[in-house]
Amino acid sequence: MREEIIRGLIHDENEMTNHRMNWFLILQGFLFAGIAFAWEKSIGLVIVFSGVGILSSLSVGLLLHLGIDAIKNLQREASEIKGKVVGKKAEEVSKFVHFEPVINFVFEA
């Protein structure tokens, strides 16, 4: 019974992460379009769009980190019940693993 509740909570957190990423990508698309139209017309507007993009990236990054922590805590709680694994375990990933191709490209040149 309790495993089903935890499984549901993990599912809900995954759905929230999906929604956050979708809204983030939509916002970034609008910001890039806004910068493209304002590039030669208003440097102030470009700076504002850039600032909003940076702040939204930081906030989404923080929310994703907290969401992953919440899922890990739920999985830990589930494993304490009867030693069962509820759902797929989150992989430990280096914070810079997504930037490895860029870092390799920059430093190989």
Side-chain angles (χ1 to χ4, degrees):
M1 174 72 175
R2 190 166 176 194
E3 295 92 2
E4 294 297 323
I5 294 171
I6 292 175
R7 186 175 290 122
L9 291 172
I10 291 173
H11 177 74
D12 291 344
E13 190 62 44
N14 280 330
E15 287 294 315
M16 287 177 26
T17 300
N18 183 31
H19 293 303
R20 287 179 190 131
M21 285 305 298
N22 285 336
W23 282 109
F24 172 69
L25 293 173
I26 290 169
L27 174 64
Q28 292 298 311
F30 282 128
L31 290 174
F32 277 117
I35 285 175
F37 285 117
W39 190 258
E40 293 182 3
K41 297 180 179 111
S42 171
I43 191 69
L45 195 56
V46 170
I47 292 171
V48 168
F49 283 152
S50 300
V52 170
I54 291 169
L55 290 175
S56 68
S57 298
L58 291 173
S59 67
V60 167
L62 176 66
L63 289 172
L64 291 176
H65 178 71
L66 293 174
I68 290 169
D69 284 346
I71 291 172
K72 286 180 184 178
N73 289 337
L74 288 168
Q75 288 175 338
R76 190 177 310 116
E77 186 177 332
S79 67
E80 291 172 0
I81 294 173
K82 293 181 183 175
K84 292 184 177 180
V85 175
V86 177
K88 184 178 176 184
K89 287 200 169 204
E91 296 177 17
E92 292 295 326
V93 178
S94 168
K95 294 186 183 210
F96 298 107
V97 74
H98 303 293
F99 299 108
E100 282 181 12
V102 175
I103 292 170
N104 292 337
F105 176 76
V106 170
F107 290 111
E108 283 180 6

